[in-house]
Amino acid sequence: MLYKIKFLVKLVGIFIVVVNSFTPTLVSAFANAEEMRLFRLVNEYRVRNGLPEIPFSRSLTFVAQMHVRDLNSHPPDGDCNMHSWSSNGSWSSCCYTLDHARAQCMWNKPRELTSYPGNGYECVLGGLGQYQANAASAFEGWKRSHPHNAVLLNKGIWSKIHWRALGVGIYKNYASLWFGEEADPVP
C-alpha cells in the first residue's frame, strides 16, 4: 500500500490534470522542447551579458503554461492586458491594466497555483490571428522591448533583484516567462 501511495505522489508530481470550462487539458510540470529552447536562449543571453543563469522552476513553468493556455482560450479585452487572467479556471481572475494598479494579482499567481513561496513577475508576448508563438520570436520580441529586456538583464528597477527561478510556457499564440526571487522548493 505504501508503495502505491509513493507511486501516485510521484505521478501527480509529474503531470497535473487541469480542468477548465472547455475540456480537460494535460499540463506538464516540465517544459517541452520549444519551451526549453526559450529557457536556454534567456540564460545564454544573460551569460553573454555577464549575468548568472537562472535555475529552471517547475512551479513557475506550471504557472506560465497555465497562463498561455488561459490567454489562448480567453484573450483579455478592454483595458485588460496580457498579464490578466480570466475567470474560467481554478484561479482568481484579474484585469491587469497599463497603470499597474492591479500588479499584485499577477505577482500572487505562483503562490495561488503552486507551492512557490514568492512573487512571480511575467514577460508575456502574443496575440490572436496568424502569430504562432515560438522560442526565437518571443525571445527576440522581449530583447527589443526596453521594459522586458530590463527584466531579462536585471536593469533599471530590476538591477538589485537576483532571479533564482525561471518558468517558461509556449502555447499556440502566446509565450510567457515567469521570474522569481526565491528558489523553487519543487525539485
Side-chain angles (χ1 to χ4, degrees):
M1 181 67 172
L2 184 58
Y3 174 77
K4 288 180 182 178
I5 291 171
K6 285 182 179 179
F7 174 76
L8 287 174
V9 168
K10 286 182 182 179
L11 185 62
V12 169
I14 294 173
F15 293 104
I16 299 165
V17 177
V18 178
V19 179
N20 66 26
S21 64
F22 294 108
T23 59
T25 304
L26 190 61
V27 176
S28 170
F30 298 101
N32 65 36
E34 191 66 12
E35 290 165 336
M36 285 309 296
R37 207 172 311 113
L38 177 57
F39 176 78
R40 283 192 302 278
L41 285 169
V42 170
N43 276 318
E44 289 167 2
Y45 183 54
R46 288 178 57 81
V47 168
R48 280 195 312 273
N49 283 275
L51 296 167
E53 292 185 359
I54 307 169
F56 179 80
S57 166
R58 285 178 53 195
S59 297
L60 295 181
T61 292
F62 177 77
V63 176
Q65 290 171 342
M66 292 301 302
H67 196 208
V68 293
R69 281 163 176 75
D70 182 45
L71 287 167
N72 271 284
S73 297
H74 312 284
D77 59 6
D79 292 335
C80 305
N81 68 27
M82 287 186 282
H83 297 297
S84 301
W85 289 69
S86 78
S87 60
N88 299 60
S90 59
W91 51 75
S92 59
S93 64
C94 76
C95 174
Y96 193 109
T97 53
L98 289 176
D99 63 4
H100 308 285
R102 298 181 187 123
Q104 196 67 39
C105 75
M106 178 200 25
W107 299 341
N108 287 336
K109 282 299 177 251
R111 283 190 302 277
E112 183 182 339
L113 297 172
T114 71
S115 62
Y116 187 77
N119 286 343
Y121 305 93
E122 182 184 40
C123 291
V124 63
L125 184 130
L128 300 176
Q130 299 299 316
Y131 178 73
Q132 287 294 303
N134 63 64
S137 68
F139 176 67
E140 288 303 319
W142 290 317
K143 272 180 39 181
R144 287 191 306 265
S145 164
H146 181 73
H148 295 100
N149 194 54
V151 175
L152 294 173
L153 296 179
N154 294 102
K155 294 187 175 204
I157 64 170
W158 307 101
S159 65
K160 296 190 188 315
I161 304 266
H162 299 286
W163 299 130
R164 291 182 178 86
L166 176 60
V168 291
I170 299 174
Y171 183 71
K172 294 185 180 180
N173 305 95
Y174 293 91
S176 175
L177 295 172
W178 280 78
F179 296 82
E181 296 178 73
E182 287 79 17
D184 189 346
V186 176

